[in-house]
Amino acid sequence: MKNILVIGGAGYIGSHTVRALAKRGYNPVVFDNLSKGHREAVKNFPFEQGDLQDKKRLSEVFKKHRIEAVMHFAAFIEVGESVQNPAKYYQNNTAGVLNLLQALIENQIPYFVFSSTAAIFGEPVREKIDETHPQHPINPYGNSKLMVEKMLADFDVAYGLKSTALRYFNASGADDSGEIGESHSPETHLIPLILQTAIGKRKSIKIFGTDYPTADGTCIRDYVHVNDLARAHILALEKMEKDKVSERFNLGSGNGYSVAELIAKAKEITGVDFAVEQAPRRAGDPAVLVADATKAKRVLGWQPEYDLTRIIQTAWNWEQHRKY
Ligand code: UFG
């Protein structure tokens, strides 16, 4: 198996995975509608513009490139927006994927890797979240992804489609080359916002909530480097091809860091003493979200290689030289 279609391949995690695939000897083909993605992020790879809601276009691309497996990254990811406009999320993240899955079946493409999220678990009921943790999303974004996971289970039983759902915790960092990195509009993620403050693009970084039941009162998250996530996709694909079973994995480092700790680390790495403000809690933020990624280690042999320092260093390198 060589020819992999990467839907949403011009986006943040998709573009890092495209590079990882190519390095490992695959032929990635990028499929993206460029509503959020950046053509420049994948300028050296075969590119097909299109939307996952367009089945005819998908079938055309599958045939043209003799696609053998599909990785799917094209999704809306803003929790707050999903509460305001759930229709947008169900249309793209759920109905769009249903359309894509039908196209896979019709074209007899047997393997699918799906970008899922820690948001499918909702409010954590224990400290570290493994795959058996209850799944009760607290926002439409999480629902839109969990619905797809349910479809995937049913599609394996009925049509034999093999899939792997990868639930990312906090994707972060940038490629070491400095050629690709994170660029969302609007940017809502903590690390890029901190670094944009350090570089002077923003006046201050706001800490959303300092009264959480954590050691320093700020939220704790599990930051995992985007290249570690990219590598997990390839391991998942290879495992799926070998064993012909569908799987789900939680992908995180297993280490939690607070917002205040991240800010301190970023000050140390950048050497800039930027302004920090305290702000009210952001709706829908759990106090602590940390993965138990034991299963990914056991089954895939996957373990993060980048620690928090390298995550912030690579993101800082990108922020200083960003291309898009
Ligand atoms: N935060 C701040 N200030 C900011 C931005 C964020 O204090 O300016 C805090 C948040 O409150 C949160 C932490 O930093 O406690 C991390 O926030 P992010 O927005 O970077 O990440 P989230 O954990 O909220 O989001 C992650 C993914 C999203 C996904 C979500 C689902 O990055 O794409 O999990 O739970 F939708």
Side-chain angles (χ1 to χ4, degrees), residues 5-53:
L5 191 67
V6 185
I7 300 182
Y12 173 43
I13 307 173
S15 59
H16 287 78
T17 305
V18 166
R19 283 196 172 212
L21 281 164
K23 272 192 198 149
R24 183 110 173 173
Y26 290 93
N27 305 322
V29 174
V30 177
F31 184 96
D32 202 296
N33 68 5
L34 295 181
S35 70
K36 297 275 182 185
H38 306 274
R39 181 68 185 92
E40 210 186 324
V42 283
K43 58 178 184 237
N44 300 325
F45 296 97
F47 180 82
E48 298 284 353
Q49 189 157 357
D51 195 285
L52 77 151
Q53 321 229 22

Side-chain angles (χ1 to χ4, degrees), residues 77 119 141 170 188-190 193 206 208 219 221 282 285:
I77 58 163
Y141 169 66
N170 288 61
T188 59
H189 294 113
L190 181 64
L193 291 176
K206 289 193 172 73
F208 296 149
C219 282
R221 292 289 179 276
R282 187 173 67 178
D285 278 344

Side-chain angles (χ1 to χ4, degrees), residues 179-210:
E179 289 165 3
I180 56 174
E182 185 166 14
S183 180
H184 294 112
S185 180
E187 189 52 77
T188 59
H189 294 113
L190 181 64
I191 293 179
L193 291 176
I194 289 177
L195 297 176
Q196 286 171 18
T197 311
I199 211 166
K201 281 188 192 159
R202 293 172 191 268
K203 278 209 194 71
S204 66
I205 181 75
K206 289 193 172 73
I207 301 183
F208 296 149
T210 51

Side-chain angles (χ1 to χ4, degrees), residues 217-233:
T218 68
C219 282
I220 291 176
R221 292 289 179 276
D222 181 336
Y223 297 88
V224 53
H225 195 278
V226 63
N227 279 346
D228 283 324
L229 293 178
R231 194 162 41 83
H233 287 75

